[in-house]
Amino acid sequence: MFRLLAGAAVVLAFTTGEAQAFERPAALDAPIDLPSAAPQKFTRNVLAGDKVRTSVFVPSYRVSFMVRARASASTTDTRATAETVLSGAEPELIQAITDRAYADFVERLKAAGFTVVTPDDWRATPGADQLKTGAGQIEIQTMSNLGARQSYALVHPTGLGSWPESAMPVNLGAVRAMTRDLDATMVAPRFTVNYAYVQASGGGPMAILARGAQASYKPMIHGGPVIGGFSMEPWRVRVGQHGGFFEYKVDGSLEAPGEFGLVQGDRGPARSTAAGGQSVDTWESRLGYVGHASAVGRFEVDPEAYTRLALQALALQNQVAVDELRKARR
């Protein structure tokens, strides 16, 4: 079941009507092909006093699935908004995607030469009983920043609890004890799956030479960055959260392009996501303007296609993290 956070009354973004029986998409059991090469430019922040060991343990892994987004911009007397909502990515589906992505991360760590401590082994260390974790159920988190508002479903692999998303490193002492006892580095990735770029901008006061307010959405499965406003990793991936060794920011999004369903706008019939973008501008051809313009899109995903593309985006994020770990290994 879902747990609501921060007044997230927008859970209706997930589904309307009665829940459908979960049919496991074939993509969950198929090999995952990386959609593109990882970018080469990063912003890194190495934390003193810790280095990457040849052994790692993964007590936490979280995927944030965007389920709703809204952006708004204004001039003096006009306003433009773009709003989207995701449908069809049911809780069972995103849980299964997260489980598969977590398994892929472990596989890639091993392929890179790391020894991955099993959950049974790291849970047996003295520090493990000090970890503060939740039950691990799916949570809805809503964030706002500079006129943009997004809602995410936070999902953890089955069997791994949810960690407190706080600026305070509440698990720092436990992680340090476990790192020492295991002679292993803790890795706790936080990754993202978005389904669209939603943007808005205002052109300042209306005048003959001024632009109006613009808003748009463009369908695209991609990984991050997450809007700031919660947790410790806005715009970054903190691979060793709560006592880890470094964080990094990829310059740009990690994309898994392809059609993943239909988008129903407020104009005309539903279209494929490959051609489903929309934009509005309150300044119409500079011949006049409207007081308010909006672009609305309801995204209905095809579970098979969405699963395949989401796993590609997550596998690419997994590979980027593993590559960074390998570079920093002592």
Side-chain angles (χ1 to χ4, degrees):
M1 63 180 295
F2 290 104
R3 182 159 68 95
L4 308 185
L5 298 183
V10 296
V11 184
L12 56 89
F14 261 115
T15 184
T16 59
E18 296 181 0
Q20 301 291 319
F22 177 63
E23 296 183 6
R24 185 177 177 85
L28 287 169
D29 303 305
I32 304 173
D33 297 324
L34 295 182
S36 60
Q40 299 300 311
K41 295 184 65 178
F42 295 86
T43 300
R44 296 178 177 86
N45 178 24
V46 179
L47 306 181
D50 201 357
K51 295 184 180 297
V52 181
R53 296 162 172 80
T54 56
S55 293
V56 299
F57 63 106
V58 190
S60 178
Y61 183 100
R62 191 197 70 200
V63 179
S64 302
F65 292 87
M66 186 169 73
V67 295
R68 190 181 183 107
R70 183 179 188 275
S72 180
S74 301
T75 66
T76 300
D77 51 2
T78 69
R79 187 175 186 84
T81 60
E83 186 164 4
T84 66
V85 63
L86 189 70
S87 179
E90 302 298 333
E92 295 86 353
L93 178 61
I94 58 176
Q95 182 66 67
I97 291 172
T98 301
D99 291 346
R100 178 68 180 91
Y102 168 67
D104 175 80
F105 182 60
V106 173
E107 293 166 6
R108 293 180 187 277
L109 284 170
K110 293 179 178 178
F114 288 97
T115 299
V116 181
V117 180
T118 67
D120 287 344
D121 286 343
W122 61 254
R123 285 187 174 117
T125 62
D129 58 1
Q130 303 173 30
L131 287 175
K132 293 179 172 58
T133 63
Q137 70 264 40
I138 298 175
E139 304 169 355
I140 301 296
Q141 177 75 60
T142 298
M143 299 158 286
S144 298
N145 185 47
L146 300 177
R149 183 176 180 86
Q150 296 181 344
S151 294
Y152 284 88
L154 311 185
V155 191
H156 307 266
T158 302
L160 289 186
S162 53
W163 284 31
E165 299 301 334
S166 167
M168 297 298 294
V170 295
N171 282 323
L172 179 58
V175 165
R176 284 178 171 171
M178 296 168 71
T179 297
R180 180 179 60 253
D181 293 339
L182 293 167
D183 191 24
T185 294
M186 186 275 288
V187 183
R190 270 80 179 104
F191 295 140
T192 305
V193 175
N194 294 330
Y195 63 84
Y197 296 103
V198 180
Q199 297 175 316
S201 61
M206 293 299 292
I208 295 298
L209 300 179
R211 289 289 294 172
Q214 302 92 38
S216 65
Y217 64 78
K218 177 183 177 182
M220 173 67 73
I221 298 291
H222 62 285
V226 178
I227 262 186
F230 83 111
S231 190
M232 295 177 66
E233 76 286 354
W235 298 100
R236 295 191 177 193
V237 175
R238 190 180 291 263
V239 177
Q241 193 180 23
H242 297 321
F245 56 95
F246 80 101
E247 64 183 9
Y248 64 89
K249 171 186 174 183
V250 181
D251 291 344
S253 298
L254 305 180
E255 299 180 349
E259 184 177 341
F260 60 92
L262 297 175
V263 55
Q264 175 70 61
D266 55 353
R267 303 173 185 174
R271 298 170 291 172
S272 72
T273 52
Q278 186 177 336
S279 61
V280 292
D281 191 335
T282 58
W283 187 261
E284 297 179 336
S285 302
R286 294 181 181 266
L287 298 178
Y289 65 89
V290 294
H292 179 253
S294 62
V296 178
R298 179 182 178 85
F299 290 72
E300 178 68 32
V301 305
D302 172 76
E304 184 67 46
Y306 178 80
T307 297
R308 175 175 55 83
L309 295 176
L311 284 175
Q312 287 182 351
L314 286 168
L316 186 53
Q317 292 175 82
N318 284 341
Q319 189 61 57
V320 168
V322 170
D323 288 345
E324 292 301 295
L325 287 164
R326 182 166 46 191
K327 291 175 186 177
R329 183 168 51 192
R330 70 182 183 187

